[in-house]
């Protein structure tokens, strides 16, 4: 479970100061699904970075299962990311020189284990997103939707507690968007993940049971009983 | 994963990798060529020095320079103006450089710490002047009936009036060098730089025998051969062998036993030079210091001292190799290292999102840095292999062409007391023997040069990797993910 208390992230450039996040309090239950929306520059990605332990707030605390991520050393934070948090990015962020299977393996490298075991798990993860036949393909040989599915397999192969997605359909056309969202929702349900997603897409936002809207660093939560 | 990722990245960025590797290769190839040419120069210099010293000699000991101005030992020739035109001849046997040491010095030197062996030798110059005086004819002015007046060398008379015409002196001056060698220790000294090509060398028992070994080119000039005799200042020596210098001029025209040389020069128990072999070639300087400290009035000249007197194209080329070549290699290497570092750093900048993603996935900074350093190291090794190949090819070309270099030794007066060549007489006491040699330059590549090249390649890779690795280690995953290419 995530518990954010008084999280503020302040950026200073020259004499001007901007609060990307301003005194945010937020709780996200295990297995919950939260969609974050808001205007560009409103602080969506900053909030996601705080949740993912990619950045530290200027003030406040970010607790994951009772552990304050802001107090952890860089090495321990890296370990938390490696074990518990899966990321899916808007631009897929696959390593262009590695095959689909090798890209998925990169998420298992920090956890150690034998290479053969890594390869087997990577192949299984790709199979679960419908890319069992494309293990040896490079990202450049796949469509955008397929690349994002490789990225989803990479995020989930280590069986994390949390899946963070930063506009995962932002670079996809409508058909691919639906394809990717279907995969993500299936995975969320099957794996019992805590799924937090940033999106600009209102159609996707409407399907979420809980919506966080960020404006000028302030978060407003809307519950969607119909979802 | 490490090697797969590394291999794929190098393949993806093969142009940049080739630029980095080529830069390093150029620097490394230059180092190999300059080192091998320098080594060739050094060998050429050693060859030049060996032709004077003989093989195995590490230093020579001679008498320290005397105060200038003393001319009592200058050669003097006295000829009588006899009343006829008969030929006259006079030999002058002079100690080369006019400075001698006592034979006991040889023993003293031999007992010094670090001296493996010491042997004395006496270098002589023989100046043979032969010819005749011719009388001039006196012719009286305007008086045909006047009787001829003859006088040696011309010269006027008071009565009657007239002048002496014709007459004068015609003398041929012939100079050659003789080296008195210690026949009991023939493995040290100038004769070791020659091979006996006809006959034999001295026997150890011939310490005072009237036998000689003659240099091949002098033998040819004077039509001397094994079995014939050669006369030096009235003493006839039987030629037992003909020697040929390994390179360039021989150290002397004639070699005779030391005692014979001492007798000829009236220099009993005297030597001009002590040839010294050090027990350890790394200790030459300390042996030199010990001799100079413990045996007063001596000058010790090492190979290094003598090398300073080498001039000519060999010296010029050697200077070029050690100065311009060395600095050029260093400059190219530094430039190559910098370019490799900057290109690696630049490559990391282009891969910010990639490394940021890996960090987000839980890769530690150290793992990302290792990946960058690994790629740079392989790049450096590729440059090393390429550089070694180009360097070996360059060294091979130099050896194949074998440019001829001329070395001139001595003449500067700084070398001091060298035995040898025929030209050393008459000058200052410490004037080194003047010698000119043509040496074919080679460029031998030693294992140590190759190891240095490999070390440079690794260093280049590590330096480049350090640039990139430092940049990669400082990346924050959040910054990386904000960046969209």
């Amino acid at each position: 479970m995530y518990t954010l208390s008084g999280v503020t992230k302040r950026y200073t450039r020259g004499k001007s100061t901007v609060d990307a996040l301003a005194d945010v309090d937020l709780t996200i239950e295990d297995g919950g699904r939260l969609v974050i929306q808001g205007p560009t520059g409103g602080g969506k990605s900053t909030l996601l970075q705080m949740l993912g332990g990619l950045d530290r707030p200027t003030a406040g605390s970010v607790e994951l299962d009772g552990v304050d991520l802001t107090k952890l050393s860089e090495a321990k934070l890296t370990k938390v990311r490696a074990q518990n948090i899966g990321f899916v990015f808007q631009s897929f962020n696959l390593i262009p020189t590695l095959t689909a299977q090798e890209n998925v393996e990169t998420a298992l490298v920090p956890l150690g284990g034998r290479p053969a075991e890594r390869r087997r798990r990577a192949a299984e993860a790709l199979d679960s997103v419908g890319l069992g036949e494309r293990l040896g393909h490079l990202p450049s040989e796949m469509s955008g939707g397929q690349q994002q599915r490789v990225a989803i397999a990479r995020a989930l192969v280590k069986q994390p507690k949390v899946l963070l997605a930063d506009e995962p359909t932002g670079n996809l056309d409508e058909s691919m968007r639906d394809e990717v969202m279907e995969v993500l929702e299936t995975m969320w349900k099957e794996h019992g993940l805590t799924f937090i997603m940033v999106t600009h897409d209102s159609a996707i936002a409407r399907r979420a049971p809980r919506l966080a809207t960020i404006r000028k660093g302030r978060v407003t939560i809307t519950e969607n009983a119909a979802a | 994963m490490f090697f797969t990722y590394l291999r794929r990245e190098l393949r993806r960025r093969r142009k940049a990798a080739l630029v980095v590797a080529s830069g390093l290769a150029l620097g490394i190839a230059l180092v190999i060529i300059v080192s091998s040419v320098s080594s060739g120069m050094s060998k050429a210099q050693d060859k030049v020095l060996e032709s004077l010293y003989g093989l195995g000699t590490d230093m020579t000991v001679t008498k320290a320079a005397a105060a200038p101005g003393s001319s009592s030992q200058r050669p003097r020739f006295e000829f009588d103006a006899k009343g006829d035109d008969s030929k006259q001849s006079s030999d002058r046997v002079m100690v080369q450089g006019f400075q001698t040491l006592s034979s006991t010095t040889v023993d003293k030197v031999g007992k010094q710490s670090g001296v493996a062996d010491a042997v004395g030798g006496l270098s002589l110059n023989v100046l043979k002047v032969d010819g005749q005086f011719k009388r001039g004819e006196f012719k009286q002015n305007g008086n045909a009936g006047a009787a001829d007046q003859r006088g040696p060398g011309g010269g006027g008379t008071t009565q009657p009036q007239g002048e002496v015409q014709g007459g004068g002196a015609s003398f041929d001056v012939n100079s050659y060098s003789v080296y008195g060698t210690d026949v009991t220790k023939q493995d040290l000294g100038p004769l070791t730089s020659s091979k006996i090509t006809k006959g034999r060398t001295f026997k150890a028992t011939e310490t005072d025998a009237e036998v000689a070994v003659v240099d091949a080119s002098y033998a040819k000039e004077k039509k001397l051969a094994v079995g014939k005799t050669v006369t030096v200042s009235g003493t006839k020596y039987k030629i037992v062998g003909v020697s040929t210098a390994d390179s360039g001029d021989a150290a002397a025209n004639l070699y005779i036993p030391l005692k014979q040389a001492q007798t000829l020069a009236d220099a009993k128990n005297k030597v001009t030079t002590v040839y010294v072999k050090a027990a350890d070639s790394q200790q030459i300087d300390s042996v030199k210091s010990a001799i100079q400290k413990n045996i007063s009035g001596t000058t010790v000249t090492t190979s290094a001292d003598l090398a300073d007197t080498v001039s000519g194209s060999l010296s010029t080329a050697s200077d070029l190799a050690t100065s311009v070549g060395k600095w050029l290699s260093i400059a190219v290497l530094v430039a190559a290292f910098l370019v490799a570092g900057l290109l690696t750093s630049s490559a990391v900048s282009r891969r910010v999102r990639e490394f940021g993603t890996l960090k987000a996935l839980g890769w530690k900074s150290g793992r990302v840095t290792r990946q960058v350093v690994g790629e740079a190291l392989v790049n450096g090794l590729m440059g090393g292999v390429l550089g070694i190949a180009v360097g070996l090819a360059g060294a091979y070309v130099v050896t194949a062409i074998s440019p001829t270099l001329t070395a001139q030794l001595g003449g500067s007066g700084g070398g001091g007391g060298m035995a040898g060549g025929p030209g050393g007489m008459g000058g200052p006491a410490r004037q080194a023997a003047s010698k000119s040699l043509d040496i074919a330059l080679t460029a031998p590549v030693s294992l140590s040069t190759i190891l240095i090249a490999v070390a440079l390649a690794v260093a280049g890779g590590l330096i480049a990797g350090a640039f990139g690795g430092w940049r990669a280690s400082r990346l924050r995953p959040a910054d990386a993910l904000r960046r969209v290419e």
Side-chain angles (χ1 to χ4, degrees):
Chain A
M1 187 177 80
Y2 270 115
T3 308
L4 279 70
S5 305
V7 173
T8 298
K9 181 65 181 179
R10 186 166 295 142
Y11 292 106
T12 306
R13 182 166 290 179
K15 288 179 180 174
S16 65
T17 303
V18 176
D19 284 348
L21 294 175
D23 200 20
V24 173
D25 294 319
L26 181 65
T27 303
I28 307 166
E29 297 292 337
D30 283 344
R33 182 178 162 198
L34 176 72
V35 167
I36 304 169
Q37 261 203 314
T40 303
K44 304 184 297 293
S45 293
T46 305
L47 178 61
L48 206 67
Q49 284 167 13
M50 299 301 151
L51 292 168
L54 299 178
D55 206 350
R56 294 172 194 269
T58 311
S61 64
V62 179
E63 286 184 13
L64 174 61
D65 295 338
V67 177
D68 189 353
L69 301 184
T70 64
K71 299 259 188 325
L72 292 180
S73 67
E74 199 56 48
K76 283 184 177 168
L77 199 55
T78 301
K79 198 173 177 184
V80 169
R81 284 202 302 269
Q83 291 175 336
N84 298 323
I85 303 172
F87 289 94
V88 176
F89 306 101
Q90 180 180 354
S91 303
F92 326 133
N93 289 23
L94 299 177
I95 309 297
T97 51
L98 300 181
T99 63
Q101 189 176 22
E102 288 159 353
N103 262 291
V104 175
E105 272 188 69
T106 57
L108 296 174
V109 167
L111 302 176
R114 288 171 34 222
E117 174 65 9
R118 288 205 305 256
R119 280 195 291 277
R120 187 188 64 74
R121 286 178 64 182
E124 277 179 10
L126 282 167
D127 195 44
S128 71
V129 295
L131 291 174
E133 305 296 316
R134 311 296 295 267
L135 303 182
H137 286 227
L138 291 171
S140 58
E141 296 165 343
M142 290 186 278
S143 69
Q146 287 170 332
Q147 287 185 54
Q148 195 59 299
R149 279 194 277 160
V150 173
I152 293 167
R154 181 177 66 184
L156 298 177
V157 70
K158 60 190 175 190
Q159 296 173 325
K161 290 180 180 173
V162 180
L163 177 62
L164 302 176
D166 189 4
E167 301 198 37
T169 58
N171 281 5
L172 302 176
D173 62 27
E174 205 166 310
S175 66
M176 285 187 182
R177 180 195 70 182
D178 292 342
E179 179 188 306
V180 166
M181 280 313 300
E182 193 182 324
V183 170
L184 283 170
E185 284 172 1
T186 304
M187 291 294 157
W188 166 56
K189 285 173 187 164
E190 283 182 3
H191 293 87
L193 298 162
T194 303
F195 179 28
I196 303 162
M197 179 172 65
V198 168
T199 183
H200 272 114
D201 193 327
S202 298
I204 293 173
R206 275 196 297 273
R207 285 153 61 179
R210 204 164 173 232
L211 179 67
T213 308
I214 302 186
R215 285 180 197 281
K216 294 182 179 177
R218 299 203 174 271
V219 176
T220 312
I221 299 291
T222 310
E223 302 290 341
N224 182 6
Chain B
M1 176 57 69
F2 175 81
F3 290 106
T4 305
Y5 191 14
L6 189 152
R7 197 176 64 245
R8 301 269 177 78
E9 279 305 319
L10 287 177
R11 197 185 297 165
R12 176 168 73 139
R13 295 179 295 107
R14 54 181 168 268
K15 277 186 185 170
L18 196 63
V19 169
V20 171
S22 300
L24 288 172
L26 181 64
I28 288 166
L30 261 176
V31 168
I32 290 176
I33 293 170
V34 169
S35 299
S36 58
V37 168
S38 289
S39 169
M41 302 274 182
S42 178
K43 283 195 172 178
Q45 284 196 340
D46 286 348
K47 226 172 181 179
V48 172
L49 301 181
E50 274 171 16
S51 71
L52 273 184
Y53 264 165
L55 285 167
T57 303
D58 293 316
M59 66 193 82
T60 59
V61 180
T62 52
K63 186 163 183 168
S70 167
S71 60
S72 60
Q73 290 178 293
R74 307 291 293 183
R76 289 172 61 85
F77 293 90
E78 290 173 0
F79 295 99
D80 288 332
K82 298 172 183 172
D84 55 25
D85 289 348
S86 62
K87 280 196 171 184
Q88 298 185 57
S89 177
S90 180
D91 280 10
R92 280 293 176 272
V93 179
M94 294 161 294
V95 173
Q96 196 170 70
F98 309 112
Q99 299 282 344
T100 55
L101 294 163
S102 166
S103 292
T104 56
T105 309
V106 181
D107 298 331
K108 282 185 194 168
V109 170
K111 285 173 186 165
Q112 295 302 309
S113 166
V115 172
D117 203 1
V119 61
L122 186 66
S123 289
L124 305 175
N125 268 292
V126 181
L127 197 58
K128 186 177 174 123
V129 180
D130 55 3
Q132 63 187 117
F133 288 102
K134 202 173 180 183
R135 289 185 177 186
E137 287 188 359
F138 179 75
K139 288 190 176 175
Q140 194 169 8
N141 291 339
N143 187 354
D148 286 349
Q149 294 290 322
R150 290 178 177 236
T157 56
T158 52
Q159 290 294 329
Q161 293 293 311
E163 62 181 349
V164 176
Q165 291 183 337
S170 171
F171 283 88
D172 186 29
V173 179
N174 179 27
S175 166
Y176 59 95
S177 58
V178 176
Y179 178 74
T181 186
D182 185 342
V183 296
T184 61
K185 288 183 179 177
Q186 293 183 55
D187 54 349
L188 210 54
L191 193 52
T192 54
S193 64
S194 296
K195 280 192 180 71
I196 301 295
T197 46
K198 281 177 189 166
R200 61 170 176 85
T201 187
F202 299 107
K203 293 174 184 169
T205 53
E206 292 172 332
T207 52
D208 199 18
E210 289 172 354
V211 289
V213 169
V214 61
D215 173 56
S217 51
Y218 186 70
K220 193 177 174 188
E221 183 189 332
K222 299 293 177 187
K223 297 185 174 58
L224 299 172
V226 174
K228 288 189 175 182
T229 57
V230 58
T231 305
V232 181
S233 192
T235 307
K236 286 186 175 178
Y237 291 92
K238 185 184 177 189
I239 298 170
V240 295
V242 174
S243 66
T244 304
D246 291 339
S247 60
D249 296 334
N253 300 127
L254 279 176
Y255 302 89
I256 59 174
L258 178 59
K259 270 194 178 176
Q260 283 292 324
Q262 288 169 336
T263 306
L264 278 178
D266 195 20
K268 198 178 177 188
N269 294 327
K270 300 283 185 190
V271 295
T272 46
T273 311
V274 183
Y275 295 85
V276 181
K277 183 177 174 59
D280 180 358
S281 61
Q282 303 297 313
Q283 303 291 322
I284 287 173
D285 285 341
S286 63
V287 174
K288 176 182 176 177
S289 303
I291 294 171
Q292 277 183 326
K293 185 182 167 193
N294 299 331
I295 306 170
S296 60
T298 56
T299 296
V300 182
T301 309
T302 64
S303 302
D305 297 331
L306 195 61
D308 292 341
T309 71
V310 175
S311 59
S313 59
L314 172 61
S315 175
T316 310
S318 180
D319 288 347
L320 274 175
T322 52
S323 54
V324 178
K326 186 175 79 179
W327 288 112
L328 182 67
S329 303
I330 290 172
V332 170
L333 266 180
V334 169
F337 285 0
L338 275 175
V339 167
L342 291 174
L343 283 178
T344 307
S345 184
S346 158
V348 170
S349 299
R350 283 197 299 275
R351 294 165 70 189
V352 164
R353 193 173 66 178
E354 186 175 318
F355 293 138
T357 302
L358 292 173
K359 285 191 173 184
L361 294 177
W363 281 43
K364 291 177 183 168
S365 283
R367 188 183 289 276
V368 174
T369 303
R370 274 201 299 280
Q371 196 70 40
V372 173
V373 173
E375 289 172 17
L377 199 58
V378 171
N379 235 340
L381 289 175
M382 276 164 39
V385 170
L386 197 62
I388 288 170
V390 174
L392 287 177
Y396 176 79
V397 167
V398 172
T399 305
I401 295 171
S402 293
T404 303
L405 298 173
T406 304
Q408 283 169 334
L409 256 168
S412 66
M418 293 308 304
M425 66 151 295
R430 297 183 70 247
Q431 183 182 32
S434 176
K435 204 167 173 68
S436 180
L437 289 176
D438 285 339
I439 302 281
L441 178 66
T442 58
V445 180
S446 63
L447 181 64
S448 61
T449 305
I450 298 289
L451 290 177
I452 288 170
V454 172
L456 285 172
V458 172
L462 287 176
I463 289 170
F467 271 80
W470 178 77
R471 179 105 176 76
S473 69
R474 288 172 59 87
L475 286 176
R476 292 192 314 147
D479 288 342
L481 298 183
R482 267 200 286 271
R483 190 186 170 103
V484 177
E485 286 177 0

